[in-house]
Amino acid sequence: MIKSSLVFLALTLVGGAAQAAGETLRVAADLSYPPFQFRDSKGTPSGFEIEITDAICQAMQVKCDYVVTSFDAEIPSLLAKKVDFISPQGATEKRRKVIDFSDFVYHIPTKLVVHKGSALQPTAESLQGKRIAVQQGSIQEMYANTYWLPKGVEVVAYADQDSIYQDLTAGRLDGALSPAVAVTYGFLNKPEGQGFTLTGPEVRDDKLFSIGSAYGLRKDDSKTKTLLNQGLAKIIADGTWDKIRAKYFADLDIAVHQTTGSN
C-alpha cells in the first residue's frame, strides 16, 4: 500500500512538472532581508528563501524571475498581477482574507532586539515611552500596533530591516521587534550588531501570527499553488530543503511542526 502511494505521488509530481515545464514565473522578493533574501557580491539574488525557491522551480522545471520590491508592496504587486507569487511570509488570518498561501515552508520566532545590558522586555509595560521599530506590512507591525501602541509604546515602521539596523546602531531606537533568525544570522553577526542582543521570550499570538511562513498567491491561482506545493514536497523528500537549511542555519530547527487542526 505504501509503495503504491509513493508511485502515485511520483507520477503526480512528474505530471505537474510536465504541465508546467518551460513556464516563467515572476516572484516578488525583498532583497534587504539577510540571510533570507539579499544580493550577493555580484548583485545576484541570494539567501535561504531564494535558494529554496530556486530548488522548487528547478524541481518543477519552471523558470523563476525575481521582481525586487519592498516587503509592504509585495501583496499589492501580487493582486495587481505584476508577479505570480510572493516570497514566504507569515500566513496570518488577516492576510488569508486577501490572498491564498502555499504549504508552510518554515517557522521563525519573533523576538525583541535591544542594546546589550538593556533591561527592556517584550511587554507593553516594559516598553512604555520607548521607540520600537518594526518592518512595514509585517506581522511584527500588526502585533506592536495592536498590543503596544495603545499602551504608550512608540511604534516606528520602516520599509526594510536594513533601515531598522541603521537606526538601532545610530541610537535613534530603543529596540526592534523582528524575526529572530534574521537578526541572529544577519545583524548580530556584523560588527555594527555586536552591541545588541535578543531578549525575552518569543512573542506569540495565535490570532495575529501564523505557525509558519508560506508563499503568497492569488486566491484563484490553483495551478501555481499546486506547482509550489508539489515542488516543496519534492525537495523536502529528497533532502534538498534540509541541505539548504543547514547551509544557512546549521543545526537550528526551523521546520513547521503542525498539530491537529493547524493550517
Side-chain angles (χ1 to χ4, degrees):
M1 184 66 179
I2 295 176
K3 183 176 181 181
S4 298
S5 298
L6 291 174
V7 170
F8 175 78
L9 175 60
L11 289 174
T12 301
L13 293 174
V14 171
Q19 184 182 13
E23 290 188 17
T24 297
L25 297 176
R26 300 161 300 168
V27 192
D30 171 13
L31 300 182
S32 62
Y33 190 46
F36 295 94
Q37 302 177 50
F38 58 91
R39 294 186 187 275
D40 64 16
S41 59
K42 297 180 180 179
T44 304
S46 187
F48 172 74
E49 291 180 352
I50 301 298
E51 288 200 33
I52 290 291
T53 304
D54 285 344
I56 289 173
C57 293
Q58 183 177 1
M60 301 312 294
Q61 300 178 28
V62 297
K63 184 178 186 295
C64 286
D65 288 339
Y66 293 97
V67 178
V68 181
T69 184
S70 62
F71 180 81
D72 60 334
E74 289 184 342
I75 291 179
S77 294
L78 177 69
L79 297 177
K81 297 187 176 181
K82 294 179 180 179
V83 296
D84 298 299
F85 65 97
I86 59 181
S87 300
Q89 58 178 255
T92 64
E93 288 184 11
K94 182 178 180 180
R95 289 171 182 160
R96 286 186 184 275
K97 293 177 181 178
V98 181
I99 63 174
D100 197 5
F101 284 93
S102 70
D103 292 339
F104 292 120
V105 182
Y106 63 87
H107 166 72
I108 297 300
T110 289
K111 299 197 73 173
L112 182 70
V113 55
V114 297
H115 295 268
K116 285 183 176 178
S118 170
L120 295 178
Q121 291 293 304
T123 66
E125 293 73 23
S126 177
L127 300 175
Q128 189 173 26
K130 304 300 183 182
R131 285 173 55 85
I132 304 299
V134 291
Q135 186 170 356
Q136 290 175 1
S138 67
I139 58 176
Q140 290 78 26
E141 181 184 30
M142 287 189 287
Y143 182 93
N145 284 340
T146 300
Y147 297 112
W148 293 353
L149 184 63
K151 295 185 177 181
V153 180
E154 185 178 356
V155 179
V156 187
Y158 288 77
D160 56 68
Q161 287 290 135
D162 285 343
S163 298
I164 291 175
Y165 299 151
Q166 289 169 11
D167 275 10
L168 275 172
T169 56
R172 289 187 281 268
L173 293 165
D174 297 295
L177 189 64
S178 302
V181 172
V183 175
T184 301
Y185 290 89
F187 180 58
L188 298 185
N189 275 340
K190 297 179 179 179
E192 57 268 32
Q194 295 306 298
F196 296 85
T197 187
L198 293 170
T199 188
E202 175 183 353
V203 175
R204 301 182 64 94
D205 184 88
D206 292 340
K207 186 172 180 61
L208 295 181
F209 288 8
S210 166
I211 64 168
S213 294
Y215 292 104
L217 311 113
R218 287 184 291 275
K219 283 182 174 291
D220 59 351
D221 192 0
S222 58
K223 180 179 178 181
T224 302
K225 181 176 181 177
T226 298
L227 183 147
L228 289 172
N229 286 344
Q230 290 179 347
L232 178 61
K234 185 174 182 179
I235 69 167
I236 290 174
D238 68 14
T240 300
W241 184 95
D242 199 54
K243 181 178 180 180
I244 297 171
R245 178 206 56 77
K247 173 182 175 180
Y248 286 93
F249 306 120
D251 59 352
L252 182 66
D253 180 13
I254 61 170
V256 176
H257 302 286
Q258 298 194 63
T259 58
T260 304
S262 298
N263 293 319

